[in-house]
Amino acid sequence: MPLSPPAPRTARHARRVIYQGFEREDGLWDLEGELHDSKMHDAPALRGGGIRRAGEPIHHMWLRVTVNRVLVVQAIEASMDTHPLRECPQARAALQTMVGCTMGRGWRQAIQKNLGGVASCTHLRELLFNLATAAFQTLPAAFASADADEPPRHLGQCTGWDFNGAGVKEYFPQFYGRA
């Protein structure tokens, strides 16, 4: 069901983010994110002066993270087709510090530790944060637990998968009611 109609308003900014996951023939998985920011009106361009026309990107970048079946980062690369400042592409080098990190518990902390502040780019960090969700949706084993007595990682992480909720009771009854 869509949201109820808002009061009259004028669109000023648009951000589109797309995530995709791919299985590779070599047993690894590629997770890709694309971010596109634009203004809905003509505005001054920071780099090069002049005017950036409505709809032209301020940021347009891609990120690819290759993981193994247990979500350990094997490789990472980024492309920045459009960026507001000349120095922005320098932020890509720091991404290599994420190789060896796991897209699981502690993922956001690893991003902040390795890429926080001026070490990298706010927009690349944002893409990385949610790339883990795409990984969990892509890899069949991501929801599984190695220990049959341990609940899958996604249980207890949202309202729908509340240990005391109907979803767990129906699909994972062995963990229903567990704190």
Side-chain angles (χ1 to χ4, degrees):
M1 169 192 282
L3 298 171
S4 60
R9 58 195 183 158
T10 302
R12 305 299 291 168
H13 182 80
R15 171 170 282 181
R16 292 189 321 265
V17 178
I18 298 171
Y19 291 102
Q20 297 184 85
F22 303 91
E23 183 176 9
R24 296 170 29 152
E25 290 182 7
D26 62 2
L28 298 175
W29 301 81
D30 284 334
L31 306 157
E32 297 181 357
E34 177 186 1
L35 181 140
H36 184 280
D37 275 334
S38 61
K39 296 293 180 199
M40 308 305 285
H41 59 287
D42 292 352
L46 290 178
R47 191 164 47 109
I51 298 294
R52 180 179 292 109
R53 298 288 172 215
E56 288 180 358
I58 300 165
H59 301 101
H60 194 189
M61 51 187 66
W62 287 266
L63 182 67
R64 177 182 300 128
V65 176
T66 302
V67 298
N68 62 16
R69 64 180 183 78
V70 292
L71 302 174
V72 175
V73 175
Q74 305 296 300
I76 188 168
E77 61 183 304
S79 174
M80 294 181 167
D81 280 359
T82 308
H83 45 85
L85 302 171
R86 183 175 29 261
E87 296 80 14
C88 291
Q90 296 172 19
R92 295 177 297 167
L95 292 171
Q96 298 312 307
T97 62
M98 295 301 294
V99 173
C101 294
T102 301
M103 285 186 171
R105 294 196 199 288
W107 176 243
R108 288 180 176 253
Q109 290 81 8
I111 293 169
Q112 189 57 35
K113 176 185 170 200
N114 291 303
L115 305 174
V118 298
S120 189
C121 167
T122 299
H123 301 86
L124 292 176
R125 284 192 301 271
E126 289 176 11
L127 278 171
L128 272 174
F129 282 149
N130 294 314
L131 203 64
T133 302
F136 277 83
Q137 296 294 328
T138 300
L139 277 75
F143 286 116
S145 173
D147 183 348
D149 293 328
E150 286 296 314
R153 292 185 247 189
H154 65 288
L155 300 189
Q157 300 301 308
C158 72
T159 301
W161 290 117
D162 181 345
F163 282 104
N164 296 312
V168 172
K169 186 175 187 177
E170 181 176 353
Y171 296 102
F172 297 95
Q174 70 275 31
F175 302 116
Y176 179 71
R178 208 169 186 183

